[in-house]
Coordinates of all heavy atoms in Angstrom, one line a residue:
M1 N 119.7 122.0 57.7 CA 120.6 122.2 58.8 C 120.8 120.9 59.5 O 119.9 120.1 59.7 CB 120.0 123.2 59.7 CG 120.8 123.6 60.9 SD 120.1 125.0 61.7 CE 121.0 124.9 63.2
S2 N 122.0 120.6 60.0 CA 122.4 119.3 60.6 C 121.8 119.3 62.0 O 121.4 120.3 62.6 CB 123.9 119.1 60.7 OG 124.5 120.1 61.5
K3 N 121.7 118.1 62.5 CA 121.2 117.9 63.9 C 121.9 116.7 64.6 O 122.1 115.7 63.9 CB 119.7 117.5 63.8 CG 119.0 117.5 65.1 CD 117.5 117.4 64.9 CE 116.7 117.6 66.1 NZ 115.2 117.5 65.9
K4 N 122.3 117.0 65.8 CA 123.1 116.0 66.5 C 122.1 115.2 67.5 O 121.3 115.8 68.1 CB 124.2 116.6 67.4 CG 125.1 115.6 68.0 CD 126.2 116.3 68.8 CE 127.4 116.6 67.8 NZ 128.6 117.1 68.5
I5 N 122.3 113.9 67.5 CA 121.5 113.1 68.4 C 122.3 112.3 69.3 O 123.5 111.9 69.0 CB 120.5 112.1 67.6 CG1 121.3 111.3 66.6 CG2 119.5 113.0 66.8 CD1 120.4 110.4 65.8
Y6 N 121.8 112.0 70.5 CA 122.4 111.2 71.5 C 122.0 109.7 71.4 O 120.8 109.5 71.1 CB 122.0 111.7 72.9 CG 122.3 110.8 74.0 CD1 123.5 110.9 74.7 CD2 121.3 109.9 74.5 CE1 123.8 110.1 75.8 CE2 121.6 109.1 75.6 CZ 122.8 109.2 76.2 OH 123.1 108.4 77.3
V7 N 122.9 108.8 71.5 CA 122.7 107.4 71.5 C 123.2 106.8 72.8 O 124.5 106.8 73.0 CB 123.3 106.7 70.3 CG1 122.8 105.2 70.2 CG2 122.9 107.4 69.0
G8 N 122.4 106.3 73.7 CA 122.8 105.8 74.9 C 122.5 104.3 75.1 O 121.8 103.7 74.3
N9 N 123.1 103.7 76.1 CA 123.0 102.3 76.4 C 123.7 101.4 75.3 O 123.2 100.3 75.0 CB 121.5 101.9 76.6 CG 121.4 100.6 77.4 OD1 122.2 100.3 78.3 ND2 120.5 99.7 77.0
L10 N 124.7 102.0 74.7 CA 125.5 101.2 73.7 C 126.2 100.1 74.3 O 126.7 100.2 75.5 CB 126.5 102.1 73.0 CG 125.9 103.2 72.0 CD1 127.0 104.1 71.6 CD2 125.3 102.5 70.8
N11 N 126.4 99.0 73.5 CA 127.3 97.9 73.9 C 128.7 98.5 73.9 O 129.1 99.2 73.0 CB 127.1 96.8 72.9 CG 127.9 95.6 73.2 OD1 129.0 95.6 73.7 ND2 127.3 94.4 72.9
Y12 N 129.5 98.1 74.9 CA 130.8 98.6 75.0 C 131.7 98.2 73.8 O 132.7 98.8 73.5 CB 131.5 98.2 76.3 CG 130.9 98.8 77.5 CD1 130.3 98.0 78.5 CD2 130.8 100.2 77.6 CE1 129.7 98.6 79.6 CE2 130.2 100.7 78.7 CZ 129.7 99.9 79.7 OH 129.1 100.5 80.8
A13 N 131.3 97.1 73.1 CA 132.0 96.7 71.9 C 131.6 97.4 70.6 O 132.2 97.2 69.6 CB 131.9 95.2 71.7
T14 N 130.6 98.2 70.6 CA 130.1 98.9 69.4 C 131.2 99.9 69.0 O 131.7 100.6 69.8 CB 128.8 99.6 69.7 OG1 127.8 98.7 70.1 CG2 128.3 100.4 68.5
T15 N 131.4 99.8 67.7 CA 132.4 100.7 67.1 C 131.8 102.0 66.5 O 130.6 102.0 66.2 CB 133.2 100.0 66.0 OG1 132.4 99.7 64.9 CG2 133.9 98.8 66.5
E16 N 132.6 103.0 66.2 CA 132.0 104.2 65.5 C 131.5 103.8 64.1 O 130.5 104.4 63.7 CB 133.1 105.3 65.5 CG 133.3 105.8 66.9 CD 134.3 106.9 67.0 OE1 135.1 107.1 66.0 OE2 134.4 107.6 68.1
D17 N 132.2 102.9 63.5 CA 131.7 102.5 62.1 C 130.4 101.8 62.2 O 129.5 102.1 61.4 CB 132.7 101.6 61.5 CG 133.9 102.3 60.9 OD1 133.8 103.5 60.7 OD2 135.0 101.7 60.7
A18 N 130.2 101.0 63.2 CA 128.9 100.3 63.4 C 127.8 101.3 63.7 O 126.7 101.2 63.2 CB 129.0 99.2 64.5
L19 N 128.1 102.3 64.5 CA 127.2 103.3 64.9 C 126.8 104.1 63.6 O 125.6 104.4 63.4 CB 127.8 104.2 65.9 CG 126.9 105.3 66.6 CD1 125.7 104.7 67.3 CD2 127.6 106.1 67.5
K20 N 127.8 104.5 62.8 CA 127.5 105.2 61.6 C 126.6 104.4 60.7 O 125.7 104.9 60.1 CB 128.8 105.6 60.9 CG 128.7 106.4 59.7 CD 130.0 106.8 59.1 CE 129.8 107.6 57.8 NZ 131.1 108.1 57.3
N21 N 127.0 103.1 60.5 CA 126.2 102.3 59.6 C 124.8 102.1 60.1 O 123.9 101.9 59.2 CB 126.9 100.9 59.5 CG 128.2 101.0 58.7 OD1 128.4 101.9 57.9 ND2 129.1 100.1 58.9
A22 N 124.5 102.1 61.4 CA 123.2 101.9 61.9 C 122.3 103.1 61.6 O 121.1 102.9 61.4 CB 123.2 101.7 63.4
F23 N 122.9 104.3 61.4 CA 122.1 105.5 61.2 C 122.1 105.9 59.7 O 121.4 106.8 59.3 CB 122.6 106.6 62.1 CG 122.1 106.4 63.5 CD1 122.8 105.6 64.4 CD2 120.9 106.9 63.9 CE1 122.3 105.4 65.7 CE2 120.4 106.7 65.2 CZ 121.1 106.0 66.1
A24 N 123.0 105.3 58.9 CA 123.1 105.7 57.5 C 121.8 105.5 56.7 O 121.6 106.3 55.8 CB 124.3 104.9 56.9
P25 N 121.0 104.5 57.0 CA 119.7 104.4 56.2 C 118.8 105.6 56.3 O 117.9 105.8 55.5 CB 119.1 103.2 56.8 CG 120.2 102.4 57.3 CD 121.2 103.4 57.9
F26 N 119.0 106.5 57.3 CA 118.1 107.6 57.5 C 118.6 108.9 56.8 O 117.8 109.8 56.7 CB 118.0 107.9 59.0 CG 117.4 106.7 59.8 CD1 118.2 105.8 60.4 CD2 116.1 106.4 59.7 CE1 117.7 104.7 61.1 CE2 115.5 105.3 60.3 CZ 116.4 104.4 61.0
G27 N 119.8 108.9 56.4 CA 120.3 110.1 55.7 C 121.9 110.2 55.8 O 122.5 109.3 56.4
E28 N 122.4 111.3 55.3 CA 123.8 111.5 55.4 C 124.3 111.7 56.8 O 123.9 112.6 57.5 CB 124.2 112.7 54.5 CG 125.7 112.9 54.5 CD 126.1 114.2 53.8 OE1 125.2 114.9 53.2 OE2 127.3 114.6 53.8
V29 N 125.2 110.8 57.2 CA 125.8 110.9 58.6 C 127.1 111.7 58.5 O 128.0 111.3 57.8 CB 126.1 109.5 59.1 CG1 126.8 109.6 60.5 CG2 124.9 108.6 59.2
L30 N 127.1 112.9 59.1 CA 128.2 113.7 59.1 C 129.3 113.3 60.1 O 130.5 113.4 59.8 CB 127.8 115.2 59.4 CG 126.8 115.8 58.5 CD1 126.5 117.2 59.0 CD2 127.4 115.9 57.1
S31 N 128.9 112.7 61.2 CA 129.8 112.2 62.2 C 129.1 111.2 63.1 O 127.9 111.3 63.3 CB 130.4 113.3 63.0 OG 129.4 113.9 63.8
A32 N 129.9 110.3 63.6 CA 129.5 109.3 64.6 C 130.6 109.1 65.6 O 131.8 108.8 65.2 CB 129.2 107.9 63.9
M33 N 130.4 109.4 66.8 CA 131.4 109.4 67.8 C 131.0 108.7 69.1 O 129.9 108.9 69.6 CB 131.8 110.9 68.2 CG 132.8 111.0 69.3 SD 133.3 112.7 69.6 CE 131.7 113.5 69.8
I34 N 131.8 107.7 69.5 CA 131.5 107.0 70.8 C 132.4 107.7 71.8 O 133.6 107.8 71.6 CB 131.8 105.5 70.7 CG1 130.7 104.9 69.7 CG2 131.7 104.9 72.0 CD1 130.9 103.5 69.4
I35 N 131.8 108.0 73.0 CA 132.6 108.7 74.0 C 133.3 107.6 74.8 O 132.8 106.6 75.2 CB 131.6 109.5 75.0 CG1 130.8 110.5 74.2 CG2 132.4 110.1 76.1 CD1 131.6 111.4 73.3
K36 N 134.6 107.8 75.0 CA 135.5 106.9 75.7 C 136.2 107.5 76.9 O 136.4 108.7 76.9 CB 136.6 106.4 74.7 CG 136.0 105.6 73.5 CD 137.1 105.2 72.5 CE 136.4 104.6 71.3 NZ 137.4 104.2 70.3
D37 N 136.6 106.7 77.8 CA 137.3 107.1 79.0 C 138.7 107.5 78.5 O 139.3 106.8 77.7 CB 137.5 105.9 80.0 CG 138.3 106.3 81.2 OD1 139.5 106.2 81.1 OD2 137.7 106.7 82.2
R38 N 139.2 108.7 78.9 CA 140.4 109.2 78.4 C 141.7 108.4 78.8 O 142.7 108.5 78.1 CB 140.6 110.7 78.8 CG 141.0 110.9 80.2 CD 141.2 112.4 80.5 NE 140.0 113.1 80.4 CZ 139.8 114.3 80.9 NH1 140.8 115.0 81.4 NH2 138.6 114.9 80.8
F39 N 141.6 107.7 79.9 CA 142.7 106.9 80.3 C 142.7 105.5 79.8 O 143.8 105.0 79.4 CB 142.8 106.9 81.8 CG 142.9 108.3 82.4 CD1 141.9 108.9 83.1 CD2 144.1 109.0 82.2 CE1 142.0 110.1 83.6 CE2 144.2 110.3 82.7 CZ 143.1 110.9 83.4
T40 N 141.6 104.8 79.8 CA 141.5 103.4 79.4 C 141.1 103.2 78.0 O 141.2 102.1 77.4 CB 140.5 102.6 80.3 OG1 139.2 103.1 80.1 CG2 140.9 102.8 81.8
E41 N 140.5 104.2 77.3 CA 140.0 104.2 76.0 C 138.8 103.2 75.9 O 138.4 102.8 74.8 CB 141.1 103.7 75.0 CG 142.1 104.8 74.8 CD 141.6 106.1 74.1 OE1 140.9 106.0 73.1 OE2 141.9 107.2 74.7
Q42 N 138.2 102.8 77.0 CA 137.0 102.0 77.1 C 135.8 102.9 76.8 O 135.7 104.0 77.3 CB 136.9 101.4 78.5 CG 135.6 100.7 78.8 CD 135.5 99.3 78.1 OE1 136.6 98.7 77.9 NE2 134.3 98.9 77.9
S43 N 134.9 102.3 76.0 CA 133.6 103.0 75.7 C 132.9 103.3 77.0 O 132.9 102.5 78.0 CB 132.8 102.2 74.8 OG 131.5 102.7 74.8
K44 N 132.3 104.5 77.1 CA 131.4 104.8 78.2 C 130.0 104.4 78.0 O 129.1 104.6 78.9 CB 131.5 106.3 78.5 CG 132.9 106.7 79.1 CD 132.8 108.2 79.6 CE 134.1 108.5 80.3 NZ 134.0 109.8 81.0
G45 N 129.7 103.8 76.9 CA 128.4 103.3 76.6 C 127.4 104.3 76.0 O 126.2 104.0 76.0
F46 N 127.9 105.4 75.5 CA 127.1 106.3 74.8 C 127.9 107.1 73.7 O 129.1 107.0 73.7 CB 126.4 107.3 75.7 CG 127.3 108.3 76.4 CD1 127.4 109.6 75.8 CD2 128.0 108.0 77.5 CE1 128.3 110.5 76.4 CE2 128.8 108.9 78.1 CZ 129.0 110.2 77.6
G47 N 127.1 107.7 72.8 CA 127.8 108.4 71.8 C 126.9 109.4 71.1 O 125.7 109.6 71.5
F48 N 127.3 110.0 70.0 CA 126.6 111.0 69.3 C 126.7 110.8 67.8 O 127.7 110.4 67.3 CB 127.1 112.4 69.6 CG 127.0 112.8 71.1 CD1 128.0 112.6 71.9 CD2 125.8 113.3 71.6 CE1 127.9 112.9 73.3 CE2 125.7 113.6 72.9 CZ 126.7 113.4 73.8
V49 N 125.6 111.0 67.1 CA 125.5 110.9 65.7 C 125.0 112.2 65.1 O 124.0 112.7 65.6 CB 124.6 109.7 65.2 CG1 124.5 109.7 63.7 CG2 125.1 108.4 65.7
E50 N 125.7 112.8 64.1 CA 125.2 114.0 63.5 C 124.7 113.7 62.1 O 125.5 113.2 61.3 CB 126.3 115.1 63.5 CG 125.8 116.4 63.0 CD 126.8 117.5 63.0 OE1 128.0 117.2 63.4 OE2 126.5 118.7 62.8
L51 N 123.5 114.0 61.8 CA 122.9 113.8 60.5 C 122.8 115.1 59.8 O 122.5 116.2 60.4 CB 121.5 113.1 60.6 CG 121.6 111.7 61.1 CD1 120.3 111.2 61.7 CD2 122.1 110.8 59.9
A52 N 123.0 115.1 58.5 CA 123.0 116.3 57.7 C 121.7 117.1 57.7 O 121.6 118.3 57.7 CB 123.4 116.0 56.3
E53 N 120.6 116.4 57.7 CA 119.2 117.0 57.7 C 118.5 116.8 59.0 O 118.5 115.7 59.5 CB 118.4 116.4 56.5 CG 119.0 116.7 55.2 CD 119.1 118.1 54.8 OE1 118.1 118.9 55.2 OE2 120.0 118.6 54.1
E54 N 117.8 117.8 59.4 CA 117.0 117.7 60.7 C 115.9 116.7 60.6 O 115.7 115.9 61.5 CB 116.4 119.1 61.0 CG 115.9 119.2 62.4 CD 115.6 120.7 62.7 OE1 116.3 121.6 62.3 OE2 114.6 120.9 63.5
T55 N 115.3 116.6 59.4 CA 114.2 115.6 59.2 C 114.7 114.2 59.3 O 114.1 113.3 59.8 CB 113.4 115.9 57.9 OG1 114.4 115.9 56.8 CG2 112.7 117.2 57.9
S56 N 115.9 114.0 58.8 CA 116.6 112.7 58.8 C 116.8 112.3 60.3 O 116.6 111.1 60.7 CB 117.9 112.7 58.1 OG 117.7 112.9 56.7
A57 N 117.3 113.2 61.1 CA 117.6 113.0 62.5 C 116.3 112.7 63.2 O 116.3 111.7 64.0 CB 118.3 114.2 63.1
D58 N 115.2 113.4 62.9 CA 114.0 113.1 63.6 C 113.5 111.7 63.3 O 112.9 111.0 64.1 CB 112.9 114.2 63.2 CG 113.3 115.6 63.8 OD1 114.0 115.6 64.8 OD2 112.8 116.5 63.2
A59 N 113.6 111.3 62.0 CA 113.2 110.0 61.6 C 114.0 108.9 62.3 O 113.5 107.9 62.7 CB 113.3 109.8 60.1
A60 N 115.3 109.2 62.4 CA 116.2 108.2 63.0 C 115.9 108.1 64.5 O 115.9 106.9 65.0 CB 117.7 108.7 62.9
I61 N 115.6 109.2 65.2 CA 115.2 109.1 66.6 C 113.9 108.3 66.8 O 113.9 107.4 67.6 CB 115.0 110.5 67.2 CG1 116.3 111.2 67.2 CG2 114.3 110.5 68.5 CD1 116.2 112.7 67.5
A62 N 112.9 108.5 65.9 CA 111.7 107.8 66.0 C 111.9 106.3 65.7 O 111.3 105.5 66.4 CB 110.7 108.4 65.0
A63 N 112.7 106.0 64.8 CA 112.9 104.6 64.4 C 113.8 103.8 65.3 O 113.6 102.6 65.5 CB 113.4 104.5 62.9
M64 N 114.9 104.5 65.8 CA 115.9 103.7 66.5 C 115.8 103.7 68.0 O 116.3 102.8 68.7 CB 117.3 104.3 66.2 CG 117.7 104.2 64.7 SD 118.0 102.4 64.3 CE 119.5 102.1 65.3
N65 N 115.0 104.6 68.6 CA 114.8 104.6 70.1 C 114.2 103.3 70.5 O 113.1 103.0 70.1 CB 114.0 105.8 70.5 CG 114.0 106.0 72.0 OD1 115.1 105.8 72.7 ND2 112.9 106.4 72.6
G66 N 114.9 102.6 71.4 CA 114.3 101.3 71.9 C 114.7 100.1 71.1 O 114.4 99.0 71.4
K67 N 115.3 100.4 69.9 CA 115.7 99.2 69.1 C 117.0 98.6 69.5 O 117.8 99.3 70.2 CB 115.9 99.7 67.6 CG 114.6 100.2 67.0 CD 113.6 99.1 66.8 CE 112.3 99.7 66.1 NZ 111.1 99.0 66.5
E68 N 117.2 97.4 69.1 CA 118.5 96.7 69.5 C 119.6 97.0 68.6 O 119.4 96.9 67.3 CB 118.2 95.2 69.6 CG 119.2 94.4 70.3 CD 118.8 93.0 70.5 OE1 117.9 92.7 71.2 OE2 119.5 92.1 69.9
L69 N 120.7 97.3 69.1 CA 122.0 97.5 68.4 C 123.1 96.8 69.1 O 123.4 97.1 70.3 CB 122.3 99.0 68.3 CG 123.6 99.4 67.6 CD1 123.6 98.9 66.1 CD2 123.8 100.9 67.6
D70 N 123.7 95.8 68.5 CA 124.7 95.0 69.0 C 124.3 94.4 70.4 O 125.1 94.3 71.4 CB 126.0 95.8 69.2 CG 126.7 96.1 67.9 OD1 126.4 95.5 66.9 OD2 127.5 97.1 67.9
G71 N 123.1 93.9 70.4 CA 122.6 93.2 71.6 C 122.1 94.1 72.8 O 121.7 93.5 73.8
R72 N 122.0 95.4 72.6 CA 121.5 96.3 73.6 C 120.4 97.2 73.1 O 120.5 97.6 71.9 CB 122.6 97.2 74.1 CG 123.9 96.5 74.6 CD 123.9 96.1 76.1 NE 123.5 97.1 77.1 CZ 124.2 97.7 77.9 NH1 125.6 97.6 77.8 NH2 123.7 98.5 78.8
R73 N 119.4 97.4 73.8 CA 118.3 98.4 73.4 C 118.8 99.8 73.7 O 119.1 100.2 74.8 CB 117.0 98.1 74.2 CG 116.3 96.9 73.9 CD 114.9 96.9 74.5 NE 114.2 95.7 74.2 CZ 113.5 95.5 73.1 NH1 113.4 96.4 72.2 NH2 112.9 94.4 73.0
V74 N 119.0 100.5 72.6 CA 119.6 101.9 72.7 C 118.5 102.9 73.0 O 117.3 102.8 72.6 CB 120.4 102.2 71.5 CG1 121.6 101.3 71.3 CG2 119.6 102.2 70.2
R75 N 118.9 104.0 73.6 CA 118.1 105.2 73.9 C 118.6 106.2 72.9 O 119.8 106.5 72.9 CB 118.2 105.7 75.3 CG 117.5 104.8 76.3 CD 117.5 105.4 77.7 NE 118.9 105.8 78.1 CZ 119.7 105.0 78.8 NH1 119.4 103.8 79.0 NH2 120.9 105.5 79.1
V76 N 117.7 106.8 72.1 CA 118.1 107.7 71.1 C 117.2 109.0 71.3 O 115.9 108.8 71.3 CB 117.9 107.2 69.7 CG1 118.4 108.2 68.6 CG2 118.7 105.8 69.5
N77 N 117.8 110.1 71.4 CA 117.0 111.4 71.5 C 117.9 112.5 71.0 O 119.1 112.4 70.7 CB 116.4 111.6 72.9 CG 117.5 111.5 74.0 OD1 118.6 112.0 73.8 ND2 117.1 110.9 75.1
V78 N 117.3 113.7 71.0 CA 118.1 114.9 70.6 C 119.1 115.2 71.6 O 118.9 115.1 72.8 CB 117.1 116.1 70.5 CG1 117.9 117.4 70.2 CG2 116.0 115.9 69.5
A79 N 120.3 115.5 71.1 CA 121.5 115.8 72.0 C 121.2 117.2 72.6 O 120.9 118.1 71.9 CB 122.8 115.8 71.2
E80 N 121.4 117.2 73.9 CA 121.3 118.5 74.6 C 122.6 119.3 74.5 O 123.7 118.7 74.4 CB 121.0 118.3 76.1 CG 119.6 117.6 76.3 CD 119.3 117.4 77.7 OE1 120.0 118.0 78.6 OE2 118.4 116.7 78.0
A81 N 122.6 120.6 74.6 CA 123.8 121.4 74.5 C 124.6 121.0 75.7 O 124.1 120.8 76.8 CB 123.4 122.9 74.6
R82 N 125.9 121.0 75.5 CA 126.9 120.7 76.5 C 126.9 121.8 77.6 O 127.0 122.9 77.3 CB 128.2 120.5 75.9 CG 129.2 119.9 76.9 CD 130.5 119.6 76.1 NE 131.4 119.0 77.0 CZ 132.6 118.5 76.7 NH1 133.0 118.6 75.4 NH2 133.4 118.0 77.5
R83 N 126.8 121.4 78.9 CA 126.9 122.3 79.9 C 128.4 122.7 80.2 O 129.2 121.8 80.1 CB 126.3 121.7 81.2 CG 124.8 121.6 81.2 CD 124.3 121.0 82.4 NE 124.1 119.6 82.2 CZ 124.3 118.7 83.1 NH1 124.6 119.0 84.3 NH2 124.2 117.4 82.8
P84 N 128.6 123.9 80.5 CA 130.0 124.3 80.8 C 130.5 123.5 82.0 O 129.8 123.3 83.0 CB 129.9 125.8 81.2 CG 128.5 126.2 80.9 CD 127.7 125.0 80.7
R85 N 131.8 123.2 82.0 CA 132.4 122.4 83.1 C 133.0 123.4 84.1 O 133.5 124.4 83.7 CB 133.6 121.6 82.6 CG 133.1 120.4 81.8 CD 134.3 119.6 81.4 NE 133.9 118.2 81.5 CZ 134.8 117.2 81.2 NH1 136.0 117.5 80.9 NH2 134.4 116.0 81.3
F86 N 132.9 123.0 85.3 CA 133.5 123.8 86.4 C 135.0 123.3 86.5 O 135.3 122.1 86.6 CB 132.8 123.5 87.7 CG 133.5 124.2 88.9 CD1 133.4 125.6 89.0 CD2 134.2 123.5 89.8 CE1 134.0 126.3 90.0 CE2 134.8 124.2 90.9 CZ 134.6 125.6 91.0
N87 N 135.9 124.2 86.3 CA 137.3 123.9 86.2 C 138.1 124.0 87.6 O 139.3 123.8 87.6 CB 138.1 124.7 85.2 CG 138.1 126.2 85.5 OD1 137.7 126.6 86.5 ND2 138.6 126.9 84.5
G88 N 137.3 124.3 88.6 CA 137.9 124.4 89.9 C 138.5 125.7 90.3 O 138.9 126.0 91.5
N89 N 138.6 126.6 89.4 CA 139.0 128.0 89.7 C 137.9 128.8 90.3 O 136.8 128.8 89.9 CB 139.5 128.7 88.4 CG 140.8 128.0 87.8 OD1 141.5 127.4 88.6 ND2 141.0 128.2 86.6
V90 N 138.3 129.5 91.3 CA 137.3 130.4 92.0 C 137.7 131.8 91.6 O 138.8 132.3 91.9 CB 137.3 130.2 93.5 CG1 136.3 131.1 94.2 CG2 137.0 128.8 93.9
H91 N 136.7 132.5 91.0 CA 136.9 133.9 90.7 C 135.9 134.8 91.3 O 134.8 134.6 91.4 CB 136.9 134.1 89.2 CG 138.0 133.5 88.5 ND1 139.3 133.7 88.8 CD2 138.0 132.6 87.5 CE1 140.1 133.0 88.0 NE2 139.3 132.3 87.2

């Protein structure tokens, strides 16, 4: 079963390909996504990587947390479920 991990403190210049390549040695990367500002397209400094196997994701978390990627020490941990957004409607 696949597992999604959070990668924080990314260099703003890090690309999705670079993120994918950094995690590829741990197993099959299903997706690598850097979160960007919707208006400026500037990286927000964090992203998510989904690995095909849970054991691969656990190994990646253990190996990559605190390691340097593109000149920044990244924080890597299990991605938490997204909280529902409040859309401003009152019901």
